[in-house]
Amino acid sequence: MEAVTENIKNAVHAGKYLTFVLSDEEYGIEILKVREIIGLMDITTVPQTPDYMKGVINLRGKVIPVIDLRLKFSMQEEEHTQATCTIVVEVGNTLIGIIVDSVSEVSDIGSEEIRETPNLGQGIDTNYIMGMGKLKEKLIILLDIDKVLSEGELEMVEEIAAN
């Protein structure tokens, strides 16, 4: 019964993922959540926001909040390179830019290639990880982009985008 439940769960997550790199790890976001990939733009900082909230960009007249995913995941901040880019994703009804080290490719990941998120112990929130995708010899952390930001953080981002 447990195996059947996991198979059903993994089948839901099967699909195309935009893969990108943060530090030495590869991550994936459902391609249906991605609106566009852009190079780094001038970011207007917003005072009194958390470190990972880098500010906002003006993308063709739309104000889009931008977060640095490295800082959100408590990784060390790195200097941006030519490969650094912003992935614009749709979370709820809000467009959010996420800064990543580099974008890799769009990969089709089948349900048989998705494993359940490992239990990392008490106190470690893995709610934003949908599963682990196995692609060739690589492991890809499949993100549930809707859960990367907490409800409160998302409200803050929505307020910034609305102003």
Side-chain angles (χ1 to χ4, degrees):
M1 184 70 175
E2 213 171 276
V4 171
T5 305
E6 185 176 339
N7 287 342
I8 292 170
K9 193 173 164 185
N10 291 344
V12 171
H13 299 309
K16 292 190 182 303
Y17 288 85
L18 174 69
T19 59
F20 60 91
V21 175
L22 278 183
S23 191
D24 293 329
E25 303 300 328
E26 197 149 354
Y27 293 83
I29 298 176
E30 286 177 290
I31 196 73
L32 295 176
K33 294 286 186 181
V34 176
R35 293 297 164 248
E36 60 186 293
I37 301 165
I38 57 176
L40 285 180
M41 300 174 65
D42 288 335
I43 297 174
T44 303
T45 57
V46 178
Q48 299 183 354
T49 55
D51 288 350
Y52 64 83
M53 174 54 105
K54 301 310 276 183
V56 294
I57 58 173
N58 181 351
L59 185 64
R60 294 182 293 279
K62 282 189 173 179
V63 175
I64 298 179
V66 176
I67 63 171
D68 189 323
L69 210 50
R70 273 181 166 270
L71 298 179
K72 177 62 185 152
F73 289 167
S74 301
M75 296 177 182
Q76 185 171 349
E77 189 169 14
E78 291 285 325
E79 195 167 309
H80 296 154
T81 67
Q82 288 187 337
T84 306
C85 58
T86 303
I87 302 171
V88 179
V89 294
E90 188 168 353
V91 177
N93 293 322
T94 305
L95 294 178
I96 299 174
I98 56 171
I99 298 173
V100 299
D101 292 353
S102 65
V103 171
S104 304
E105 60 188 350
V106 175
S107 297
D108 206 357
I109 301 178
S111 59
E112 68 282 350
E113 299 158 328
I114 298 175
R115 299 293 177 265
E116 202 168 299
T117 305
N119 184 357
L120 300 176
Q122 288 185 333
I124 298 178
D125 180 17
T126 58
N127 197 29
Y128 58 90
I129 300 174
M130 288 193 306
M132 306 297 290
K134 287 176 59 178
L135 200 57
K136 298 173 190 158
E137 298 301 314
K138 298 183 290 188
L139 267 181
I140 299 171
I141 301 169
L142 303 176
L143 295 179
D144 183 345
I145 198 65
D146 293 327
K147 294 180 180 172
V148 168
L149 294 177
S150 70
E151 203 170 293
E153 292 168 329
L154 188 57
E155 284 175 17
M156 173 193 67
V157 168
E158 287 170 345
E159 271 182 42
I160 290 170
N163 292 325

